[in-house]
Amino acid sequence: MDIKEKIAEWFAHFHAHPEVSWKEVKTTAKLAEILTEMGVGHHTFDDVTGVVAEIGEGDRIIAVRADIDALWQEVGGIYQANHSCGHDANMAMVLGALAYLKQEELNSKIRFIFQPAEEKGNGANSMIERGAIDGVSHLFGVHLRPQEEIPFGKVAPAIHHGAALFLEGKIMGEDAHGARPQQGNNALDPLFAIAQFIKTIHFSPYEAYSAKLTKVQAGGDSLNIIPGTASFAIDTRAQSNTVLNELKERISEGIEAIGKLHHVEIEMVWSDYTPAAEVSEGAASLAAEAIVETLGEEAFAPAIITSGSDDFHFYTIHNPELKAAMIGIGADLGPGLHHPDMTFNREALDMGARVLASALRKASFLNE
């Protein structure tokens, strides 16, 4: 079986056995099994899922990261783990790059980081804490891109993700009878005020940002009770980390003021922060060279700017000297990332693996 067929086989396995964030136990075991069969040294962790492998020799270390978790979502009326973000493809492409590189002479160590919990926005930190990027000079990632960004056959040398942060809140007033609203403290009034307030936050029109309610829960079966409590969630995004921080501050201040205005207590918890991309021009240039060398100039696409987020960029926040870029693979992916019925052209898998192998090889021979 050649490498292209092995990549398809690996993808099929991971696609059929999705596991959600922090619970990628069988996925970790399968990765370790594949690496053992390939004769590649690797290690797992006692307290967290994920695998780190390494090939090659030398003082310098080049690395690549693949995310391994799936989403929990409704598919055909049933809630289940589902690889609708393409992490099954990312694993297969990175394993394919490893297989191609094992056939070649390398001038540096190449480290392969199979990271858990990207969908939770903090899996990268678990790998950072366990030394996965210690000594690494260049880091690459790879991800399938939706068809509205680039079509099948095109590959972008970098993805400029935006930053994301999520707020979960709880409004605590007091229930009242529908006929006597003055006796309680209606949680719906401040909730509606919050919904309107976040639409009034504005920054420069040259900045990309958004804030929107993504969860609202209030009331029960009795329609004659005015609910005193309600819970909500807000998804906030910005193309820069600076704007996201300002957005967070304005929302926090506004919700606190709304609570005082309506005489209710509002609890707020911000979580799952994912930073905006800090892309290295040097790493992106290597990826661009790899695209042209592997697939020809007609395959090259400009860097992608997307409002989506990825915890890949925690690696560069932790180590600002790290030269990093995530390669975007056109695959005619539709209807879209995170859609329960997401599909793509499987021919993109081998293309991505070969481009990634070329970029890693080029980085390994840099004189730095």
Side-chain angles (χ1 to χ4, degrees):
M1 186 180 296
D2 65 16
I3 293 175
K4 182 177 181 180
E5 291 173 327
K6 290 295 293 183
I7 293 171
E9 180 184 276
W10 293 327
F11 167 78
H13 174 87
F14 293 126
H15 185 73
H17 299 87
E19 294 178 299
V20 297
S21 303
W22 300 121
K23 297 181 180 179
E24 311 95 331
V25 176
K26 293 181 180 178
T27 302
T28 296
K30 182 63 177 179
L31 286 164
E33 176 187 312
I34 292 169
L35 293 166
T36 298
E37 291 172 353
M38 296 173 71
V40 175
H42 61 277
H43 65 270
T44 55
F45 307 93
D46 294 333
D47 56 345
V48 71
T49 46
V51 187
V52 175
E54 203 166 79
I55 61 174
E57 300 291 339
D59 296 329
R60 294 178 63 248
I61 304 172
I62 312 301
V64 59
R65 174 273 224 168
D67 30 19
I68 69 173
D69 56 330
L71 290 158
W72 183 258
Q73 65 183 159
E74 186 177 1
V75 183
I78 300 172
Y79 278 92
Q80 62 187 62
N82 187 40
H83 269 304
S84 59
C85 199
H87 295 182
D88 44 1
N90 298 348
M91 285 185 278
M93 287 187 285
V94 170
L95 286 170
L98 192 162
Y100 281 119
L101 289 170
K102 275 184 87 317
Q103 300 177 340
E104 303 180 20
E105 180 182 347
L106 300 172
N107 200 39
S108 302
K109 291 179 181 176
I110 309 260
R111 184 173 294 166
F112 298 82
I113 304 166
F114 295 93
Q115 175 212 300
E118 186 280 325
E119 295 295 350
K120 289 294 185 182
N122 50 17
N125 288 325
S126 72
M127 294 292 99
I128 290 168
E129 292 164 1
R130 289 159 181 80
I133 59 166
D134 289 357
V136 173
S137 65
H138 290 72
L139 175 68
F140 292 93
V142 64
H143 209 296
L144 301 178
R145 303 315 302 162
Q147 57 195 0
E148 62 266 24
E149 290 183 355
I150 49 175
F152 171 74
K154 294 285 188 178
V155 179
I159 305 171
H160 292 258
H161 289 97
L165 184 62
F166 305 95
L167 169 68
E168 290 188 89
K170 185 175 182 180
I171 300 169
M172 290 165 288
E174 188 175 359
D175 286 5
H177 192 291
R180 289 174 284 277
Q182 77 281 2
Q183 294 179 354
N185 228 334
N186 191 343
L188 294 178
D189 291 336
L191 182 60
F192 294 147
I194 291 169
Q196 184 60 35
F197 159 68
I198 60 176
K199 296 178 183 178
T200 68
I201 300 174
H202 300 294
F203 297 98
S204 165
Y206 298 104
E207 299 285 354
Y209 61 93
S210 69
K212 76 292 294 184
L213 283 169
T214 55
K215 182 179 77 170
V216 171
Q217 294 178 336
D221 293 337
S222 297
L223 303 184
N224 62 345
I225 295 177
I226 299 171
T229 60
S231 61
F232 63 95
I234 298 175
D235 174 306
T236 63
R237 296 177 185 269
Q239 206 59 45
S240 77
N241 294 314
T242 300
V243 172
L244 186 75
N245 288 335
E246 293 180 11
L247 188 57
K248 174 187 175 183
E249 289 180 14
R250 290 203 197 177
I251 289 174
S252 296
E253 291 172 357
I255 291 177
E256 184 178 347
I258 288 170
K260 290 179 180 178
L261 178 66
H262 290 271
H263 305 290
V264 296
E265 182 181 350
I266 304 179
E267 292 181 348
M268 292 180 284
V269 177
W270 290 96
S271 63
D272 289 347
Y273 166 62
T274 307
E278 299 289 346
V279 177
S280 158
E281 290 186 10
S285 293
L286 290 171
E289 293 174 14
I291 294 165
V292 174
E293 176 185 87
T294 305
L295 303 175
E297 289 198 17
E298 65 277 8
F300 178 82
I304 295 167
I305 298 176
T306 175
S307 57
S309 61
D310 197 296
D311 77 351
F312 177 82
H313 307 295
F314 272 120
Y315 293 109
T316 50
I317 284 183
H318 174 78
N319 180 6
E321 301 301 315
L322 184 64
K323 299 176 179 63
M326 180 179 288
I327 299 169
I329 309 297
D332 283 344
L333 185 154
L337 290 170
H338 289 207
H339 190 284
D341 301 319
M342 185 272 278
T343 61
F344 67 94
N345 188 330
R346 307 293 169 81
E347 290 295 315
L349 295 171
D350 185 62
M351 294 168 61
R354 289 188 289 116
V355 168
L356 187 56
S358 176
L360 292 166
R361 184 194 321 108
K362 287 178 178 297
S364 81
F365 279 93
L366 286 177
N367 294 318
E368 294 185 358

